[in-house]
Amino acid sequence: MTGSTERRAVPVKAWAGAGICLALLGAFGTWFLLGHETSPPCNGLAENESVRKSVGAAVHPGISCAALGEAIVKATAGSQPGRHTQAQAQTMKDVVFALGWVQSQKIEIDPALRVPLATALADYAPDVHEMLAGLDNEYIVNAGDNKSPWEADGTYHLSVWNSVLTKTLRAVAVDPQAYALLRMAETHTAAAQLAAVPADATGVDLSLQPTKNARALGVLDGIAETAKGKDAGPARAWDTAVHEGLLDEEADRADPSTSGGRLTAAWLQELKDTPEPARAERLRSQGLDMARAWAQTRGMAEPTRTDLLAEVESSAHHAHREAKLGAVAVTALLVVVGTLATGSGPHAAL
């Protein structure tokens, strides 16, 4: 009887294991299929009720993506960068949520929308900076889609969930011109934040802005690695296009009479003086380089400067690592799901 029982136990266990595998396959397969639905034209923005209501009558089903992009830029732009009405900020929030608040962990934005969306987001550079840095509680508590933009310092502020923002930024940054727009906007904001630190600041009041800058730029570094891909040739071409886009700013620099403008100009000159093969690495050290130049202009004591730069470097490293690992985790999940759902190897999910 014992031998018979043991012989029967083997197929029972096998069927149980097969059932579990089938259940997992079904779950993963459903997720895979739902997460990879074919996107409607212009990412469905023209059909999205919130977007149509906030952008206005210019948006209608069948509108070209280029025309839609122009309408979004017009509806979200403030009287000056960083200055917006509640309606403008709400429109930007509606658009970002319509793009990034989807089941799929990776989205693709229509090519005709990438530069317009980057242009619109660059107009909200101070808000994007705070969201990337992730240290301001006001931006965290107001990030939900049911939270309206709030007023402070004479403008209405944009905030969305971090996952929605980074997903959107990664999709926009596939276009190197779009990424250069976002990076330059962050550069101007970072320089202005450094220039605004009081001359007598010490401790956390001294270190907060340069470490926030390093964190925001570090996240953008991680986004860049995902956006340009892993193929050496296309990645180099993407880098070159980004560097050219940034250096084009030399013809239209910030006011050199301001501290922030001088910091921006100095960093752009450093990038220009760096040989092309080394510029990608120079870009990744931007947060540290700007903090070093800033510390020098302030005549900061050597012990204070050493400690500050170590903190800045650590902030940039951790932010870059988090952004990179987040993207890698998404890619790894897609690979596993694709393999399980199709049985055709890791490339099925890519």
Side-chain angles (χ1 to χ4, degrees):
M1 289 296 291
T2 302
S4 175
T5 302
E6 289 177 351
R7 282 194 297 271
R8 287 197 301 270
V10 174
V12 169
K13 290 179 179 178
W15 279 112
I20 292 172
C21 289
L22 286 171
L24 289 173
L25 270 175
F28 278 126
T30 299
W31 185 95
F32 179 73
L33 291 172
L34 290 175
H36 287 71
E37 314 178 299
T38 301
S39 177
C42 306
N43 295 85
L45 291 180
E47 288 76 28
N48 184 282
E49 185 177 347
S50 294
V51 172
R52 291 177 63 183
K53 180 179 178 180
S54 58
V55 175
V59 178
H60 55 81
I63 188 175
S64 72
C65 295
L68 175 59
E70 291 177 6
I72 290 172
V73 171
K74 183 178 180 180
T76 58
S79 57
Q80 56 181 298
R83 296 289 175 178
H84 303 95
T85 65
Q86 186 174 26
Q88 290 165 344
Q90 184 63 56
T91 300
M92 191 76 258
K93 184 163 188 165
D94 289 340
V95 169
V96 175
F97 262 106
L99 290 167
W101 186 232
V102 293
Q103 185 172 1
S104 175
Q105 296 301 302
K106 183 178 181 181
I107 60 174
E108 293 183 8
I109 291 178
D110 189 283
L113 287 173
R114 291 168 186 162
V115 171
L117 287 171
T119 302
L121 284 166
D123 204 55
Y124 292 79
D127 293 328
V128 173
H129 169 82
E130 294 296 343
M131 287 186 279
L132 290 175
L135 299 178
D136 191 318
N137 189 59
E138 197 75 33
Y139 284 85
I140 297 171
V141 299
N142 286 291
D145 59 340
N146 60 339
K147 298 286 187 177
S148 300
W150 75 99
E151 187 177 13
D153 302 320
T155 187
Y156 281 88
H157 293 278
L158 166 73
S159 182
V160 300
W161 290 325
N162 180 266
S163 60
V164 172
L165 177 67
T166 53
K167 196 186 300 183
T168 303
L169 292 179
R170 284 192 180 101
V172 167
V174 171
D175 187 315
Q177 182 185 353
Y179 181 81
L181 284 169
L182 294 169
R183 186 82 186 206
M184 201 65 240
E186 173 57 32
T187 297
H188 285 301
T189 301
Q193 294 284 6
L194 290 176
V197 176
D200 59 351
T202 59
V204 69
D205 293 331
L206 180 68
S207 64
L208 180 61
Q209 294 306 334
T211 52
K212 284 174 68 174
N213 288 352
R215 180 162 182 80
L217 290 165
V219 173
L220 287 179
D221 289 335
I223 286 172
E225 291 194 23
T226 305
K228 65 184 176 182
K230 294 188 176 182
D231 292 339
R236 281 195 299 271
W238 188 93
D239 280 332
T240 299
V242 167
H243 303 153
E244 289 175 351
L246 292 172
L247 292 175
D248 282 346
E249 282 286 319
E250 286 194 306
D252 186 28
R253 286 181 177 175
D255 184 357
S257 66
T258 66
S259 298
R262 288 192 293 273
L263 280 170
T264 299
W267 178 77
L268 284 169
Q269 188 62 49
E270 284 185 12
L271 184 67
K272 184 178 181 179
D273 293 341
T274 303
E276 173 58 37
R279 281 179 181 167
E281 185 59 37
R282 169 65 70 185
L283 199 61
R284 284 191 290 271
S285 67
Q286 183 181 359
L288 181 62
D289 289 343
M290 291 183 73
R292 184 182 291 112
W294 171 70
Q296 185 174 352
T297 62
R298 289 173 67 95
M300 200 174 292
E302 184 59 32
T304 302
R305 178 167 56 182
T306 299
D307 291 344
L308 173 68
L309 294 181
E311 191 173 347
V312 168
E313 187 172 25
S314 176
S315 179
H317 171 75
H318 287 301
H320 182 192
R321 186 168 179 272
E322 288 168 17
K324 185 177 178 180
L325 286 177
V328 169
V330 167
T331 301
L333 177 60
L334 293 176
V335 169
V336 171
V337 169
T339 302
L340 289 172
T342 68
S344 57
H347 299 291
L350 302 179

